[in-house]
Amino acid sequence: MYEKEEEQLKNLYDNVQVPLDSLDEAIFAGFQKATSEKKRHSIRKKWLFTLAAAAVIFVSFLTSIRLSPAFANYISVIPGMEKLVDLIRDDKGKMLAVENDYYEKIGVSQEKNGIKFTIDGVIADENGLILFYTINTKEKEKELNTGEVELKSLDEKSLEKGSSMLGRAFYSEKGETSHSDKFEFYFQSPLEVKKFEVKVDVKVKKQKENFTLQFELKKEIQQKKTYVLNKDVEIKRQKFTVINVDVYPLRVAVHVKMDPQNTKKLLNFDDIRLIDEHGETWYKIANGFTGSKISDDEAIIYLQSNYFQEPKELYLVINKIQAIDKEDAYVMIDIEKEQILKQPKGNKFTALKVEGDQIILSMRPKKEFSFDLFNLVRDRDGNEIDKAGGFLSHNFEDEKVTEYGVSIPGLKDKLSPISLEIFFFPSWIEGSEKIKIK
Amino acid sequence: MSAGEQLVKEAIKGDDSAFLQLVQLYKIDLYKTALSFLRSEEEALEAIQEVTYRAYKSIRTVRDASYFKTWLIRIMINYCNDQLKKKKRVVFSEEILSLQGASENHNEMELKDAMLGLDERSREIITLKYFQDMKIKDIALTLQCPEGTVKTWLNKALKSLRDKLEGNGGDQHV
């Protein structure tokens, strides 16, 4: 009936010239945009954690801060420092450490089949070690991955590893021959090791090389400064105690304990900062570990360090805490019927989807809320269910909807109702507490 | 399971290189679809970028690995329809077409213009059937409707396309 039209339609785009190069560029640009957002939003991939015993560690990715003129000047006189600074630009404390010559240059490298791995340098304190590295390739590469990373002691002293931030995928549209980044390791007991071995896998296209390098720390490790406070604080009738503040060169650890009598579960200290006598402020770690939870009622919060600043006076200011009524701190769902059975007051979750092994809950937070919401997952009988990870994505049909997901291997066979313990949630208590540290 | 389906599964799990391979596999199809709607190379390339982005963001919503391609093409079609709506360019050629009058062999340009004059559903059906060379059965699955409905829509789409080419105007009197 419409043979003629059909024939024409079929041939219509057969002879189109396809600009393959531009096409690949467009694909890459789209891909890069998506992955760079994912890097900010997803808590699932790329960062590997070795979890400390019972502690749960959380991570945040925020924006970076600017270079101080003095510092810009400082780095301009030392060759090779720019790339290092790019990696710690968002952390005042680490910048101060470099500025105060606490960065130790290493410069050990190994080359295998055209790929060269170099340990540029290290910043280490009692509590942690940041290893700065560069990977060089012969050809310009658009994509490159680091896989397994292992840090070992070569001394008789052993390393008690806590959390670490490793593994990284690099993308560059134009392709680069040099890629720099850092690995972060934190320890459970004070670092005494001086000689290390690091093993790392690097993947470029189909090629995979394993590098083993050794390095030695010569700089003396700066001791932490501890301020014991045991100061009770109350915000909106929720009480907690700031036990102590440990100032390390790499970060400041604030140890807090909640009152078990509180009606609300304090989930996260969103706005907590250090202020000195001049009003200079140090915020939470912007890109890395922001805290670790020892138990429901005890946590350590990490702030950027003022170790090298030596203020005359120092205050801890707490303004805003994520909090939820204790009886409300979970979501209960039926995965077969795809129904939310119970959720916190206010019905913030608008929809539930179950897709394969994934539980996906939608919400319309007023402001962007990039946290992995759930922690423990339990089945009908209260048994803990292992989860593969949490993730977060924005619905592209409706940008205001955020989807919070949990992956659970073998989800189909789990017995409903399933309950998800809330670990982060967009509801807050606010106050303005100022505690004198010194 | 085909190699393609395996790739889709890996991509859903978060394997970036599997995802990129898939987009590579269908980039020409995507490009031609974009071109058929948007008509300019520049805009089609922009569409490819945006669709790659959207596909990556929503890869988890792929329910059936064997329909990955149509899933991808639909994202493209939705994007293109939105773009066209934004530009309100859809109706630009009707008058020109009727001025030109009917002719036995519609040239390419006319055909392309006539495509843009169609309603969204007709354009989508024609794109899937003729540009992507899909079977009625697969289109039905993609659009989640019975095969009979697809056939009816396709006929209607072809009819209104012919009407446009012959200068009879829209399809309001079908």
Short mmCIF file of all heavy atoms in Angstrom, two decimals, chain A residues 13 45 77 111 140 164 173 175 181 207 224 267 295 304 307 319 338 340 367 421:
data_model
loop_
_atom_site.label_atom_id
_atom_site.label_comp_id
_atom_site.label_asym_id
_atom_site.label_seq_id
_atom_site.Cartn_x
_atom_site.Cartn_y
_atom_site.Cartn_z
N TYR A 13 18.42 7.34 5.07
CA TYR A 13 19.63 7.66 5.81
C TYR A 13 20.76 6.68 5.56
O TYR A 13 21.67 6.53 6.35
CB TYR A 13 19.31 7.77 7.30
CG TYR A 13 18.56 9.04 7.58
CD1 TYR A 13 17.18 9.04 7.69
CD2 TYR A 13 19.23 10.26 7.66
CE1 TYR A 13 16.49 10.23 7.89
CE2 TYR A 13 18.56 11.44 7.87
CZ TYR A 13 17.18 11.43 7.98
OH TYR A 13 16.51 12.61 8.18
N LYS A 45 31.43 2.89 43.96
CA LYS A 45 32.57 2.38 43.21
C LYS A 45 33.87 3.08 43.58
O LYS A 45 33.95 3.85 44.48
CB LYS A 45 32.30 2.58 41.71
CG LYS A 45 31.27 1.63 41.20
CD LYS A 45 31.40 1.49 39.72
CE LYS A 45 32.63 0.71 39.32
NZ LYS A 45 32.94 0.85 37.94
N VAL A 77 58.07 28.01 43.11
CA VAL A 77 59.52 27.89 43.12
C VAL A 77 60.00 26.43 43.19
O VAL A 77 61.16 26.15 42.99
CB VAL A 77 60.17 28.68 44.30
CG1 VAL A 77 59.90 30.16 44.13
CG2 VAL A 77 59.66 28.19 45.64
N GLU A 111 59.21 0.79 35.95
CA GLU A 111 58.64 0.83 34.61
C GLU A 111 58.42 -0.59 34.10
O GLU A 111 59.28 -1.46 34.26
CB GLU A 111 59.55 1.58 33.65
CG GLU A 111 58.91 1.79 32.30
CD GLU A 111 59.58 2.89 31.48
OE1 GLU A 111 60.54 3.50 31.98
OE2 GLU A 111 59.15 3.09 30.34
N LYS A 140 49.34 8.66 24.47
CA LYS A 140 48.31 9.41 25.18
C LYS A 140 47.15 8.46 25.47
O LYS A 140 46.66 7.78 24.58
CB LYS A 140 47.79 10.54 24.30
CG LYS A 140 48.67 11.75 24.33
CD LYS A 140 47.97 12.92 23.67
CE LYS A 140 48.82 14.16 23.81
NZ LYS A 140 48.24 15.31 23.14
N SER A 164 40.97 3.05 54.13
CA SER A 164 41.85 3.59 53.10
C SER A 164 41.03 3.98 51.88
O SER A 164 39.93 3.51 51.68
CB SER A 164 42.92 2.58 52.72
OG SER A 164 42.34 1.34 52.45
N GLU A 173 39.52 13.47 27.98
CA GLU A 173 38.99 13.50 26.62
C GLU A 173 40.09 13.51 25.57
O GLU A 173 40.03 12.80 24.59
CB GLU A 173 38.11 14.73 26.48
CG GLU A 173 37.11 14.64 25.38
CD GLU A 173 36.02 15.68 25.56
OE1 GLU A 173 35.77 16.11 26.71
OE2 GLU A 173 35.44 16.07 24.56
N GLY A 175 43.23 12.71 26.07
CA GLY A 175 44.25 11.70 26.27
C GLY A 175 45.47 12.35 26.88
O GLY A 175 45.87 13.45 26.48
N ASP A 181 47.65 11.19 41.10
CA ASP A 181 46.63 11.15 42.15
C ASP A 181 47.26 10.70 43.47
O ASP A 181 48.48 10.65 43.57
CB ASP A 181 45.49 10.19 41.76
CG ASP A 181 44.20 10.52 42.49
OD1 ASP A 181 44.19 11.42 43.34
OD2 ASP A 181 43.18 9.88 42.20
N GLN A 207 45.92 -4.02 28.78
CA GLN A 207 47.17 -4.31 29.49
C GLN A 207 47.02 -4.08 31.00
O GLN A 207 46.43 -3.11 31.44
CB GLN A 207 48.24 -3.36 28.93
CG GLN A 207 49.65 -3.65 29.41
CD GLN A 207 50.62 -2.58 28.92
OE1 GLN A 207 50.26 -1.71 28.15
NE2 GLN A 207 51.84 -2.65 29.40
N LYS A 224 50.75 14.12 67.54
CA LYS A 224 49.44 14.78 67.61
C LYS A 224 49.36 15.67 68.84
O LYS A 224 50.10 15.50 69.81
CB LYS A 224 48.33 13.73 67.65
CG LYS A 224 48.30 12.94 68.95
CD LYS A 224 47.10 12.02 69.01
CE LYS A 224 47.17 11.17 70.27
NZ LYS A 224 46.15 10.16 70.35
N LEU A 267 22.62 11.68 63.39
CA LEU A 267 23.15 10.91 62.27
C LEU A 267 24.48 11.45 61.76
O LEU A 267 25.41 10.71 61.49
CB LEU A 267 22.14 10.90 61.11
CG LEU A 267 20.75 10.34 61.45
CD1 LEU A 267 19.79 10.64 60.31
CD2 LEU A 267 20.82 8.85 61.70
N SER A 295 29.79 3.58 67.35
CA SER A 295 28.53 2.89 67.63
C SER A 295 27.43 3.90 67.34
O SER A 295 27.71 5.00 66.91
CB SER A 295 28.49 2.45 69.09
OG SER A 295 28.32 3.59 69.91
N GLN A 304 39.42 19.54 58.70
CA GLN A 304 40.70 19.93 58.12
C GLN A 304 41.60 20.43 59.25
O GLN A 304 41.12 21.00 60.21
CB GLN A 304 40.48 21.01 57.06
CG GLN A 304 39.66 20.45 55.91
CD GLN A 304 39.27 21.49 54.89
OE1 GLN A 304 40.00 22.46 54.70
NE2 GLN A 304 38.16 21.28 54.22
N TYR A 307 47.02 22.12 62.32
CA TYR A 307 48.19 21.68 63.06
C TYR A 307 49.34 22.68 62.99
O TYR A 307 49.99 22.99 63.97
CB TYR A 307 48.65 20.33 62.50
CG TYR A 307 49.71 19.65 63.34
CD1 TYR A 307 49.36 18.75 64.33
CD2 TYR A 307 51.07 19.90 63.13
CE1 TYR A 307 50.31 18.12 65.10
CE2 TYR A 307 52.04 19.28 63.89
CZ TYR A 307 51.66 18.39 64.89
OH TYR A 307 52.61 17.77 65.63
N ASN A 319 26.77 23.78 64.52
CA ASN A 319 25.54 24.47 64.15
C ASN A 319 24.40 23.57 63.69
O ASN A 319 23.25 23.86 63.89
CB ASN A 319 25.81 25.48 63.02
CG ASN A 319 26.70 26.61 63.47
OD1 ASN A 319 26.64 27.04 64.61
ND2 ASN A 319 27.57 27.06 62.58
N GLU A 338 6.44 -4.48 46.18
CA GLU A 338 7.07 -3.19 45.94
C GLU A 338 6.34 -2.09 46.69
O GLU A 338 5.87 -1.11 46.11
CB GLU A 338 7.16 -2.87 44.44
CG GLU A 338 8.03 -3.87 43.69
CD GLU A 338 8.50 -3.36 42.32
OE1 GLU A 338 8.64 -2.14 42.14
OE2 GLU A 338 8.72 -4.21 41.45
N ILE A 340 6.17 0.43 50.30
CA ILE A 340 6.80 0.95 51.51
C ILE A 340 5.80 0.71 52.64
O ILE A 340 4.68 1.21 52.60
CB ILE A 340 7.10 2.45 51.38
CG1 ILE A 340 8.00 2.70 50.17
CG2 ILE A 340 7.75 2.98 52.66
CD1 ILE A 340 8.23 4.17 49.86
N LYS A 367 17.06 20.38 48.98
CA LYS A 367 18.36 20.70 48.42
C LYS A 367 19.03 19.39 48.07
O LYS A 367 18.65 18.36 48.62
CB LYS A 367 19.20 21.41 49.48
CG LYS A 367 19.08 22.90 49.49
CD LYS A 367 20.22 23.46 50.33
CE LYS A 367 19.89 24.84 50.84
NZ LYS A 367 20.65 25.14 52.04
N GLU A 421 17.98 0.31 57.95
CA GLU A 421 18.30 1.26 59.00
C GLU A 421 18.78 2.57 58.38
O GLU A 421 19.66 2.56 57.51
CB GLU A 421 19.39 0.68 59.90
CG GLU A 421 19.69 1.55 61.09
CD GLU A 421 20.98 1.14 61.80
OE1 GLU A 421 21.62 0.16 61.37
OE2 GLU A 421 21.34 1.82 62.75
#
